Amino acid sequence: MLRSILVIGVILTSAIVVHSSYTAYVQELYYVLYLTTGFTAFLFATLSIGLKHIKIASAFLVLVVVAASLCILFFTTDLISAQYGLLFLFTLPIIVRILYGIKASIITMLLNLVPYFLLVTKTKVSPLFGIDITLPDTHTYLASLLFLFFNFCIPIAVLRVMSSLEKQSEHNQLQSRKLDKIVKGYQEIFNNGGTPSFFCDEQGRILQANKAARTLVKKFRPNCEYIQDLFSLSLPITRGVNQTASIYNNPEQEFEIQPASLMHHKKQLIHCHDLSVNKKNLLEFDAYKKQQYEKHYFNELTGLKNHHFWKQMETSDSIVNQHIVLLKLANLREINLQYGYSQGDKLLIKVTSQLQNELSNCARLYHFPGAKFLFTLNAKQLFSSSIEHFLTRKLPNTITVTSNNVSVEHTLKWRVGHYHVSREISPDAAAECCAIALSQSSELSPYMSFSINTVKSIRENTQQKDRVKALIDNGCLAIYLQPQVSIDETIIGFEVLARLKDPSTGSILQPHHFLSLIEANGWEVLFTQKVIDATLSLLDTWPASLPQVPIAINLSGPELLNDLFYEKLLRRFSESPELCQKLKLELTETSVLASHSETKRRLTSLANVGATIIIDDFGTGHASLSQLIDMSASVMKVDREFVDRVETSERHRKIVQMTLDLAKSLEMQTIAEGVETRAQLAVLKQMGFKHFQGYLFGKPAPVEHWISESKVQA
């Protein structure tokens, strides 16, 4: 705006200045020329000042107007012309208002009372210092200057100001609408925020509340005016200081009071974060942790601390010189099977109660997995008695359990593993020592103490077990054959007796070294399958020098109950009629599973497809006569236990004779096993036996041995 006034003033007054300067030059009024030239230069200087120095330019403009007015007033002798200068001074309030503000404009209006007085009184103050700048056309110059200044400079400046104000007004309205939209958006966010929020004055009076806050007030304190009426505050509300408070008279409703830090606002914005759900979740989580802790470290049935507690919670306590005792209720499984698990649970609960009563003054009792209990004793608590004597006095022998108004007295069979801790050892290791001792207990020896020799024995058994398993897995079998002969001692068949051969040492493991491990670990199916595979391979490559006779393999019973093994064996016999003539199956009658109904059914199926079934060790096993009825066996082998004393014991001879007569009546062949002397052979022949097997005719030996024997006989 300032620049507009200057530009317009310079443009409009240039013609007047040029003409008046020329006239003054012609009349040799050089001071007039100096004055107009200086005035013009001053205007151009003011115009050249940049926007960064706007205050200086404004002062120069005011100075130009005042100087021009005073020059006209003091240096023009014509009164009417001099009064034109006073009129210029009357424009100063408008210019000063635009440039400096209201106060400066008012001061200028008051100062203009002086020129107004001079104008009204027509006081003449020129010429000052005797200087007269009046020219022939001075009146025209001043009238034109006044016309240009009032008709162009001031109106254009005002128009520019008004235009700027209008634009600024429009801009302000636009910004106001935008701001209003933003405020409404923030108001909507505030009103619909999930967190209760309040606008309060400095005293806590609620001025405004969002929807969540109004719901909170309506629910708990409908008539409250102050926020401290809604919450039980422990501290005054302070900007930037959070505190936890509960709803008045509702301690379970807990909130975090968070005053917002409003730096340019005297009101308080208070957010109230609901901690009730978090508190509830925390309580539930604590309860869950407690439940899981109890579940992990306590037995649910008996309520005793369990093996996890023993391992983890007692590690800080030294157990040196303590006696650690691991009890096992050995017959709980039988009770569960006979009376049901609910009866067994009741029994355990009563046993626990009685043990706690008996041991409460001297031991800490723990419930280990299954029906096992562990407790500790120190040497003083045993006094001079042994652990066996102590437990005999403390352990209950019988427990009566009542269920459905029926009382049953149960005899308790205890097994005990004991370990006296003589060195620093972890509780877990001590419990393991007790478990090792417990594993060595039996019905005849129910009380066992841990010994390092026991560990050595277990380690040796484990090594032997691993060795046997590796040999079986790798097929390290040695097939031994023992001949079966007729009455004229001609070989009519062989029995396969498997051995294990250690390739690393070349040693042969006899049956007593590995059969018990096979049975104990359930490897019968794997082992028998390996034997069958080796036997079939032998049959495929049967030496021409040996007689073409059948060979028999032994089955102990568990193999036939394995579906995969049975189906594979049945398929081999049904698909190969020749195999039925070459391979016979001997069922070891001493096996419990040999008398199993499913075993009998499957043996009958094998017999129906042509397999020869032989009852081995007849008379020494389980349900012998029942086998003869239910099993389609065609051959019976009389056990060596009866043959061994047949020449010296009349009772044995009668039993053997009855067995032979029974086989004849059932049209079954018989083989006498364990024949070792000629005297035994003579008695058996006299009885009527026609087939024999035993050391008299040859010990079990590899096929290479029998090849050599056949060459010698030839």
Side-chain angles (χ1 to χ4, degrees), residues 155-173:
I156 289 175
V158 172
L159 289 175
R160 179 67 185 274
V161 170
M162 294 302 296
S163 177
S164 298
L165 290 176
E166 288 173 356
K167 289 181 179 179
Q168 185 63 39
S169 176
E170 291 177 359
H171 178 72
N172 290 342
Q173 289 178 1

Side-chain angles (χ1 to χ4, degrees), residues 177-188:
R177 286 193 295 269
K178 290 182 178 179
L179 183 61
D180 186 56
K181 186 176 180 180
I182 293 172
V183 170
K184 287 181 179 179
Y186 277 111
Q187 181 67 31
E188 184 176 3

